[in-house]
């Protein structure tokens, strides 16, 4: 009951949803103005429906000339392409974000998929503009699990908050992003002989499963569910 009530409390209400949509449209319009040769796609928790009122807003930039096969999404960019992406983002930060008072603290972050992180001055919401691969396959997989496990959303909400409040969900600093954390929750259920019937037992199961799992020696597969020796 407490988990369900917490989930209902942390789910964006009508006004919070409108505020997030307003920020999304403003950022999208700015990016289209500054980068007319790029398409802008919202992805991450805002797209999958597991976002909280203060979750980051993630935007993916895609060149209009690019026709990327989602099946190739697992391949990271080459070092040459990564350098080009970083240069483009630095130019975007200088020309678009730096002198725009609607955004605070714009920073280019060097990562596997380079990005600009900033904060919307009016709402305080963090935004990220990423040159990332297609994520449609991941969304389909996540939706399938949420359809299969009725309490998965509220269980994930609690686990995500546990990590957030301890500063363990910032990927740039070595934390767990939304997708791998979601899959950790799923893995704990798939590898349990008798899957829990409710979110309370599932939460305890998650803590017990990963508390005992030796990540230095074993890897884990979800579909099919098995462990392998590293």
């Amino acid at each position: 009951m407490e988990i369900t009530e917490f989930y209902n409390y942390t789910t964006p209400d009508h006004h919070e949803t409108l505020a997030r949509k307003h920020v999304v449209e403003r950022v999208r319009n700015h990016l289209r103005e500054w980068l007319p040769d790029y398409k802008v796609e919202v992805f991450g928790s805002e797209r999958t429906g597991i976002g909280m009122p203060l979750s980051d807003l993630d935007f993916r930039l895609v060149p209009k000339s690019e026709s990327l096969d989602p099946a190739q999404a697992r391949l990271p960019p080459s070092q040459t392409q990564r350098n080009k992406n970083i240069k483009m983002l630095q130019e975007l930060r200088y020309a678009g974000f730096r002198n725009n008072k609607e955004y605070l603290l714009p920073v280019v972050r060097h990562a596997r998929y380079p990005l600009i992180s900033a904060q919307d001055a009016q709402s305080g919401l963090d935004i990220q503009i990423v040159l990332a691969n297609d994520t449609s396959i991941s969304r389909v997989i996540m939706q399938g699990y949420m359809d299969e496990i009725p309490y998965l959303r509220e269980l994930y909400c609690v686990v995500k908050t546990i990590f957030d409040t301890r500063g363990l969900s910032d990927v740039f600093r070595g934390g767990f992003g939304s997708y791998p954390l979601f899959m950790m929750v799923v893995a704990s259920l798939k590898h349990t002989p008798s899957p829990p019937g409710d979110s309370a037992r599932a939460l305890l199961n998650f803590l017990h499963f990963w508390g005992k799992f030796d990540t230095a020696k074993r890897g884990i597969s979800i579909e099919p569910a098995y462990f392998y020796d590293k």
Side-chain angles (χ1 to χ4, degrees):
M1 183 187 69
E2 288 179 322
I3 291 175
T4 300
E5 290 185 355
F6 179 76
Y7 171 72
N8 292 335
Y9 173 73
T10 56
T11 299
D13 61 24
H14 176 69
H15 297 291
E16 291 165 337
T17 300
L18 287 178
R20 292 177 68 83
K21 287 183 177 179
H22 177 70
V23 176
V24 166
E25 284 306 308
R26 186 165 69 245
V27 174
R28 181 186 277 136
N29 290 337
H30 280 151
L31 291 175
R32 286 171 176 168
E33 176 187 344
W34 298 333
L35 299 170
D37 294 332
Y38 281 79
K39 295 178 288 187
V40 182
E41 175 189 275
V42 177
F43 75 106
S45 59
E46 188 71 9
R47 187 77 177 272
T48 57
I50 58 174
M52 300 183 195
L54 300 179
S55 293
D56 295 352
L57 294 170
D58 300 307
F59 300 84
R60 174 178 176 249
L61 295 176
V62 187
K64 289 183 178 179
S65 59
E66 177 181 315
S67 179
L68 182 65
D69 180 358
Q72 299 297 316
R74 69 188 66 188
L75 300 177
S78 64
Q79 186 61 51
T80 300
Q81 185 61 49
R82 189 180 291 117
N83 291 337
K84 289 181 180 179
N85 291 346
I86 291 172
K87 182 179 179 181
M88 192 278 278
L89 291 177
Q90 289 172 337
E91 293 172 353
L92 173 61
R93 174 186 173 274
Y94 183 83
F97 285 91
R98 191 170 66 97
N99 295 319
N100 191 315
K101 295 183 179 180
E102 294 186 66
Y103 304 102
L104 304 174
L105 306 172
V107 176
V108 175
R109 291 184 169 185
H110 297 239
R112 183 185 191 188
Y113 298 104
L115 59 92
I116 290 178
S117 66
Q119 188 178 78
D120 179 70
Q122 187 175 9
S123 66
L125 291 172
D126 291 325
I127 62 174
Q128 294 190 127
I129 296 94
V130 190
L131 285 161
N133 286 349
D134 185 271
T135 58
S136 57
I137 294 177
S138 300
R139 290 199 303 272
V140 171
I141 293 172
M142 293 175 71
Q143 187 60 54
Y145 285 130
M146 287 187 283
D147 292 340
E148 177 186 347
I149 307 169
Y151 57 76
L152 184 54
R153 286 177 186 268
E154 59 184 51
L155 173 60
Y156 168 80
C157 177
V158 173
V159 173
K160 182 71 164 63
T161 303
I162 290 173
F163 280 71
D164 283 347
T165 56
R166 289 160 176 78
L168 297 174
S169 57
D170 187 340
V171 178
F172 184 73
R173 295 181 172 83
F176 294 84
S178 297
Y179 184 73
L181 188 56
F182 182 93
M183 288 303 171
M184 285 175 66
V185 175
V186 173
S188 68
L189 298 172
K190 290 290 184 177
H191 281 269
T192 301
S194 300
D198 58 66
S199 57
R201 293 181 178 86
L203 175 60
L204 294 176
N205 178 73
F206 172 85
L207 296 172
H208 176 78
F209 178 85
W210 287 109
K212 300 292 185 181
F213 189 81
D214 189 348
T215 57
K217 294 181 179 180
R218 294 193 296 175
I220 185 169
S221 168
I222 299 178
E223 300 290 352
Y226 70 92
F227 302 117
Y228 59 88
D229 190 338
K230 282 189 174 181

